[in-house]
Amino acid sequence: MHAMNARRLLYALAALSVLWLGWAMLQPPPPLPDHGQPGAAGYRLAGHTITPLEPFQLEARVLGREDYRFDRGAQVSPTDLALGWGPMADPQVLARIAISQGNRWYRWRVEEFPIPRREIETHSANMHLIPANAAVADALAAVRPGQRIALRGQLVEVKGDDGFRWLSSRTREDTGDGACELIWVEQLSRLD
């Protein structure tokens, strides 16, 4: 009888752990504080120095969204958006492309190319977003796949006080590891 009670307790604890993890993953990311203007060394955020590299702005369609809580980058960038512009914002083209996200990557797959491969590669990207203030964080929390958005900010380099380093791509000609944009988002709005 005692072994049965211990087993029930173990099952109950396991079920509670799964429920807690599921609940935690469904919660929106916590809002980030306002950060003010950049100083000589850039912005400071949660033990990181964020250095602007160059201005960035884009109008695009949201191809996918992935929120992060537990990876190292989540301390500064809680959300990635896969974005498409030009031919990759066309719903007829997108209907023929399967899109997924995970582990800070954006992936696409086609049965048959609706546009040349290189156009897919140079007109879409996974972008790691760092909200510059609470208003941007709120706007980002409301963004959903399929929407058209405009964003403006800075491509940045992030250096953590612990040695962590994350650097934005500065070209749309690259693909693969290191090709994502890391953006300090100063303004974000929906276009539709």
Side-chain angles (χ1 to χ4, degrees):
M1 190 71 160
H2 182 66
M4 185 181 287
N5 286 340
R7 194 174 356 187
R8 284 184 183 159
L9 178 62
L10 232 113
Y11 288 139
L13 289 173
L16 285 172
S17 296
V18 168
L19 286 172
W20 178 85
L21 182 60
W23 174 83
M25 292 179 75
L26 291 173
Q27 298 305 304
L32 296 174
D34 288 325
H35 306 295
Q37 297 300 313
Y43 306 94
R44 287 291 295 170
L45 173 62
H48 299 83
T49 298
I50 300 170
T51 305
L53 302 173
E54 63 185 60
F56 181 83
Q57 61 182 16
L58 178 67
E59 291 184 5
R61 185 172 302 279
V62 180
L63 308 179
R65 174 197 179 102
E66 191 74 20
D67 293 312
Y68 295 91
R69 294 182 165 286
F70 303 113
D71 74 341
R72 179 59 179 83
Q75 294 178 27
V76 291
S77 174
T79 301
D80 284 3
L81 294 181
L83 298 174
W85 55 94
M88 282 298 289
D90 182 340
Q92 291 181 330
V93 169
L94 295 174
R96 298 175 57 195
I97 301 175
I99 292 169
S100 63
Q101 278 177 286
N103 297 320
R104 298 287 181 175
W105 285 81
Y106 145 66
R107 295 169 184 82
W108 55 267
R109 184 175 46 82
V110 298
E111 296 289 327
E112 183 179 316
F113 283 96
I115 58 176
R117 176 188 191 101
R118 192 66 182 144
E119 287 191 31
I120 296 173
E121 294 171 345
T122 59
H123 290 84
S124 65
N126 192 52
M127 301 196 181
H128 313 302
L129 306 181
I130 305 170
N133 55 54
V136 171
D138 289 345
L140 180 57
V143 169
R144 298 291 174 258
Q147 295 174 338
R148 291 179 56 248
I149 63 167
L151 61 84
R152 183 180 58 76
Q154 301 284 328
L155 297 178
V156 296
E157 176 182 30
V158 173
K159 289 184 180 175
D161 295 346
D162 61 358
F164 173 77
R165 183 171 182 258
W166 203 0
L167 181 65
S168 178
S169 167
R170 294 168 79 174
T171 176
R172 278 308 327 128
E173 300 300 312
D174 54 359
T175 61
D177 195 20
C180 297
E181 284 73 21
L182 179 58
I183 308 167
W184 175 263
V185 182
E186 298 163 342
Q187 195 171 64
L188 175 68
S189 58
R190 284 185 54 183
L191 298 175
D192 52 2

